[in-house]
Every structure is written in C-alpha cells, then in structure tokens.
Amino acid sequence: MQQMAPLARFLPYQLSIASNAVSGRIAQEYRARWGLSVPEWRVMALLGDFGTITQRDLTRLSLMDKVAVNRACKVLEDRGLVERTPNQQDGRSHLLDLTQSGRDMHAQIMPLAREMERRICAGFSEAELETFRAMLDRLHRQSEIVDADDIVSDNFGIE
Amino acid sequence: MQQMAPLARFLPYQLSIASNAVSGRIAQEYRARWGLSVPEWRVMALLGDFGTITQRDLTRLSLMDKVAVNRACKVLEDRGLVERTPNQQDGRSHLLDLTQSGRDMHAQIMPLAREMERRICAGFSEAELETFRAMLDRLHRQSEIVDADDIVSDNFGIE
DNA sequence: AGCCATTTGTTGCATAGGCAACTATCCTTC
DNA sequence: GAAGGATAGTTGCCTATGCAACAAATGGCT
C-alpha cells in the first residue's frame, strides 16, 4: 500500500507526518475528554509544575508564541481553571496559577500524558530513546530560523 | 537558558518542536527561493519522480489531504509548472505532469532538498538514522486516529 | 438500460496559528 | 524627574489547514 516513493524516505517529511500523527492523536484525546487544546494543555502542565508564574515565563518555558500563551490563559481563566493576581513587582504582568478546579484537572491529565508517552515508546530501549531525543534536539537547533541575509548568502551549493 | 521543565522531556512535545523547526526552515528556503509552499514542493517532487498521475495518486503518495493536493496543483498549473490533460480512462480526473518549465525547476529544487537533509543528518551514523526512521514510522502507525467509540472505551488506566 | 453506492475533484466554511502594531509599564540615562 | 528605549500583554489581521458538503462521473447489480 505504502509505496517506496523517494518522498517517503525524505527525513523532514517522515518527521512531519509522524509529528502530525502524534500531535493529532493527543489533541483528539484532550479535546474529547476535557475540551482542552494543545496550547491549553501545555499551559496547564507548566502551571502545575512551576506554580505562580507570568505569561512571559510560560512563553519561555513552552517555546510557544506569546500570543498562543495569552489566548490559552484567557480560555483557562474563563473556565475557572486558572486565576490571575496582580504582580506587585511588575505592573505590566499578572501572576498566574491553577485554581483548585485547575489542580483537580491537572491531576487527571498528567497520568494520561505519561501513559500515552509510555505507549508510543513501547518496544524501544532506553538507549534508543536517548538517541532519538538527542536527534530531535539536534534537528531543532540546526534548523533555527536565520535572517534573510544569511539565506541569500548561503546557496547550499546550488549553481 | 533552556530549563529542564518536565514538558521539555515529554517526547511528543520534543517531536513537535523539532518538526516545526525543520518544516519552518525548509518552508522558508523554498518560499524565498522559488515561492513554493510545502504542499506545492511535495507535488513537484512526486510529479518529477512518478510522471503522469492523477490527484488521487498524489493524495495517496503524499499522505496529504486531497484538498491540499488540489490547491497545490491549481497554483502550480497557474504558474505554468504543471499541466493537466483529460484522463481517457476516467472522466472524473485529469492526468497531471510537469511542463518543461516545471522540469527545470524540479532539477533545481531536488539538490537543495538532498543538501538540507544531508546537513541536518550530519553527525549521525547510518545505524542511528535507521533507528530514527524506524521510530518515526512506529510513532506514525501507533498514533493513527481512531474513531470516537474506541476513545471512550479506552480509558488509559485513568480512575 | 436504470438505479444506487462509491469515487474524484472542487468549493465553502470554520478554526488554528503567527506576525505586526498598539498600549501600558518598566528601566536606564542624563 | 523627564526622555528614550525596552519589555509584557493584548488586539486585529492575514494565511494556512482541514472538514463537510456538493457535482460529476464511474461501476456494480438487477
């Protein structure tokens, strides 16, 4: 069924479809069970681990766009899962934390995350998983977006 | 700088940011050089390899949504890179192929693809790359979307 | 031949996501 | 303490992406 097209051996493509499949499956689970989007789930996870932090902290920790963080926080606040309190040290920002309801949900969603990770990693050794993580980190670092000048001056051996 | 948050060790998350970084970088290159989106580039690559095929074939080969394939083909046709001819065997579909201009561009874009792949794989052994590909394939297959009934009946050990 | 289910391609709609611009606040420097 | 640049958060806009619904055509079944 799956043909051996050259495209199917192109590593960035394989990475993309695997990531989309995993993300799509996880998004489906969290939406069906708790009505959470992926950005919302990530904010819940970070707030559960780090406690009282600002949107700026969440942006740094999650590597998400600050707008994505802001919108996720707004939804969670409207649902009563997160509360904002004024930040005495900096009037521009607010301190965010889980409410009791948010902590209850956090206690529900984390075991599912760990279980899903365990499932998709089943059958691979610790060494293989470490190699896999190392490669993902390397791919991430080597693919950082550079500015336009660098692109123009770097012709990849073409022509 | 990069904190050791639990989220940063969550494999689906690492997979997502690595894939986004790689895809974003590649998309940037192809947009800057030839004004091609990722779906358009994929269609170009497949047409270059497989010759005269239908949109249905392209959808199967690329694993993309049929709408994405259709829109990419339309753009490529408008740019004179792809041409459609009636399909005598099936009046519903058309046969797609690269024009001479499209073949010229194909000859340009494939070396860049191979060079980018070589770069991001630099420093890893063939065995490591094979393990990596195997894991991506496995993640993809294990994460196939299932229907809603399966989700409800499968509680992942919660409660 | 006629009907019905299936398939291909297309369009429209609804959502997600990122970037630029803006406000408010902070911090430095004079 | 006033001015200028930097930073946190917010809003609006634009694009990308995917699904549902649809029209045209096919193929099977009687």
Side-chain angles (χ1 to χ4, degrees), chain A residues 5 54 128 147 153:
Chain A
T54 65
E128 285 171 328
D147 65 61
S153 65

Side-chain angles (χ1 to χ4, degrees), chain A residues 46 50 52-63 69 87 93-96, chain B residues 3:
Chain A
L46 287 171
F50 286 90
T52 304
I53 54 181
T54 65
Q55 283 190 27
R56 172 182 171 278
D57 298 326
L58 286 168
T59 300
R60 301 259 166 105
L61 289 168
S62 68
L63 301 186
V69 171
N87 184 355
S93 62
H94 301 266
L95 296 175
L96 298 164
Chain B
Q3 295 213 23

